[in-house]
Amino acid sequence: MAILKIARMGHPVLGRPAAAVEDPRDPALRQLADDMIATMRDAEGTGLAAPQVHQSKRLLVFFVDAGRARAHAHGGGPDDEGKGEGAPLTVLVNPDYEALSEEKDESWEACLSIPGLAGRVPRYWHIRYWGTDLEGNAIEREATGFHARVVQHECDHLDGVLFPQRMTDMSTLIFTSEMDRYAEGEARAAASRPRAAS
């Protein structure tokens, strides 16, 4: 396995739709998937799409640790159900998804292709996603919370979309080095808001 170079925002490969994979069983695709997994782990990422490693193919990999999912959960879901939901290491070929609810959750996202920046992005809370594995077997799952967010983020890469394009409030696009300070400011502002009488 090799550690691949990650494309950064501004590279043309990140701004165009990726091509469908014709044969999921192609040994070269398996090698690419293995290298993507190694690259994702080396960069301490949660997911990686093939365009991020300069390959315009509809292929992505991800792993959602349940503890990390809980740490990234920030309100918005129905009864907060599934906030700590993890997902196994997954390779998806030709993936797609659909929203199972119109409800969205706005939370922080970062990206290996936009190092040093994070922003608050609205995403569907509850989705169904599908694709195939590297043997051509169908994969179909439902996901909520952070798991759903990761899948949507990676699928966006396959359509040439980066997370800032999904943001509704660009004032929340900040350097990750400032996140603690930003969170402290949000907490102070929330504490000073008048509370409704019960």
Side-chain angles (χ1 to χ4, degrees), residues 56-168:
S56 189
K57 301 177 188 297
R58 297 192 78 82
L59 170 70
L60 59 84
V61 301
F62 67 90
F63 167 71
V64 181
D65 176 76
R68 190 166 183 182
R70 284 190 294 273
H72 283 76
H74 293 289
D79 302 321
D80 296 343
E81 185 178 347
K83 278 191 158 188
E85 171 192 0
L89 177 62
T90 301
V91 177
L92 271 183
V93 182
N94 296 327
D96 206 348
Y97 72 91
E98 65 178 353
L100 295 180
S101 164
E102 288 303 307
E103 184 157 10
K104 291 187 176 181
D105 172 42
E106 185 175 279
S107 191
W108 291 105
E109 287 188 21
C111 180
L112 297 176
S113 291
I114 313 175
L117 290 175
R120 291 184 67 85
V121 182
R123 298 282 187 188
Y124 291 112
W125 174 258
H126 186 194
I127 67 169
R128 176 185 296 114
Y129 66 90
W130 59 88
T132 69
D133 64 17
L134 293 170
E135 299 298 328
N137 301 311
I139 295 174
E140 183 174 332
R141 298 177 187 151
E142 287 189 28
T144 56
F146 187 59
H147 179 182
R149 177 173 296 278
V150 169
V151 172
Q152 291 170 80
H153 178 112
E154 299 308 330
C155 283
D156 268 357
H157 278 299
L158 304 182
D159 294 328
V161 176
L162 298 177
F163 81 78
Q165 294 167 264
R166 296 285 188 197
M167 293 175 63
T168 56

